[in-house]
Amino acid sequence: EDQVTQSPEALRLQEGESSSLNCSYTVSGLRGLFWYRQDPGKGPEFLFTLYSAGEEKEKERLKATLTKKESFLHITAPKPEDSATYLCAVQALRSNSGYALNFGKGTSLLVTP
Amino acid sequence: GAVVSQHPSRVICKSGTSVKIECRSLDFQATTMFWYRQFPKQSLMLMATSNEGSKATYEQGVEKDKFLINHASLTLSTLTVTSAHPEDSSFYICSAPIGGGHGYGYTFGSGTRLTVV
């Protein structure tokens, strides 16, 4: 069964203190690993898609990397506006639904000034 | 581009009543719409998948008679929570695949916070 596990569950950083979020996954035939940002009471906002081990993508202070078992979201010199919940998901074939996203529980990030 | 507009953003209803949630694709045609539910501090859980012009498919454990899904056009999918009860209170989010099918990405609506009192 496909599984997505994110750690830590919550993370508190000082502004400028870099860190990484982890997403470990088991999936039969990875078609894509997705990172989303979710603000309270809002829908997820797309950040990155990674398709194969060794792939890396960057956007401003965020960098996502992928291995065969896990993905990391590196946050460099975070700012308070980076505070949000970061969701990891894998694209999984559902027997009834075609390809949908299977999400982890997320990492709640708080960046303090 | 590729925006899904979801309404209402918040709704409070009495136990036993029905609530309709709409998701419209504004600048693309959504042949497929995924409906998720999210409880506090939990991940998004897929409830059902709607396909334009055909019956929705439901995930195991989701009551199809309680959560009615209609996808009558390429730009509108609706989820109706029938005879709502307090345990149906949750955050409901729709999502559509974009970029040429299932291999590119997914765009999400802004979510609907349902509270049943």
Side-chain angles (χ1 to χ4, degrees):
Chain A
E1 185 181 320
D2 300 335
Q3 283 197 329
V4 180
T5 304
Q6 291 188 246
S7 61
E9 188 176 311
L11 181 63
R12 184 182 181 122
L13 298 173
Q14 292 266 24
E15 184 172 2
E17 179 186 2
S18 301
S19 187
S20 296
L21 313 182
N22 177 264
C23 172
S24 61
Y25 65 92
T26 55
V27 63
S28 51
L30 180 69
R31 287 172 56 91
L33 185 140
F34 296 76
W35 282 99
Y36 284 86
R37 169 189 171 129
Q38 186 178 26
D39 293 299
K42 300 287 180 64
E45 176 189 336
F46 174 75
L47 293 174
F48 304 107
T49 309
L50 301 167
Y51 292 103
S52 57
E55 191 174 0
E56 298 183 351
K57 289 192 177 173
E58 287 187 69
K59 179 181 178 181
E60 296 180 354
R61 295 177 293 280
L62 301 176
K63 178 181 177 180
T65 61
L66 181 66
T67 71
K68 289 185 178 180
K69 295 183 179 179
E70 57 191 350
S71 176
F72 291 94
L73 184 66
H74 307 278
I75 303 177
T76 303
K79 298 182 178 182
E81 53 262 42
D82 294 323
S83 298
T85 295
Y86 290 85
L87 300 171
C88 172
V90 295
Q91 195 173 23
L93 178 61
R94 312 294 280 260
S95 58
N96 294 329
S97 315
Y99 287 95
L101 290 180
N102 187 5
F103 282 88
K105 292 187 178 181
T107 293
S108 177
L109 174 65
L110 176 65
V111 183
T112 57
Chain B
V3 174
V4 171
S5 176
Q6 183 171 349
H7 292 280
S9 57
R10 287 179 176 272
V11 58
I12 300 173
C13 71
K14 290 186 178 180
S15 188
T17 62
S18 296
V19 173
K20 180 185 282 190
I21 300 170
E22 291 188 349
C23 280
R24 293 181 184 272
S25 56
L26 297 186
D27 47 5
F28 69 104
Q29 292 182 331
T31 55
T32 299
M33 193 72 75
F34 299 105
W35 288 92
Y36 292 86
R37 179 168 54 183
Q38 185 179 32
F39 292 106
K41 297 192 183 297
Q42 298 297 312
S43 63
L44 281 75
M45 298 298 296
L46 182 66
M47 297 175 65
T49 304
S50 70
N51 292 289
E52 187 267 336
S54 63
K55 287 185 178 181
T57 55
Y58 291 81
E59 296 301 300
Q60 193 172 7
V62 177
E63 300 174 59
K64 62 181 181 181
D65 293 331
K66 182 169 188 62
F67 298 99
L68 300 180
I69 290 174
N70 184 280
H71 197 149
S73 78
L74 288 171
T75 58
L76 176 64
S77 177
T78 62
L79 168 67
T80 301
V81 184
T82 63
S83 187
H85 290 284
E87 57 265 31
D88 299 322
S89 299
S90 188
F91 193 56
Y92 293 87
I93 309 173
C94 59
S95 173
I98 56 174
H102 297 284
Y104 187 78
Y106 301 81
T107 187
F108 285 80
S110 54
T112 297
R113 171 72 59 195
L114 170 63
T115 303
V116 185
V117 298

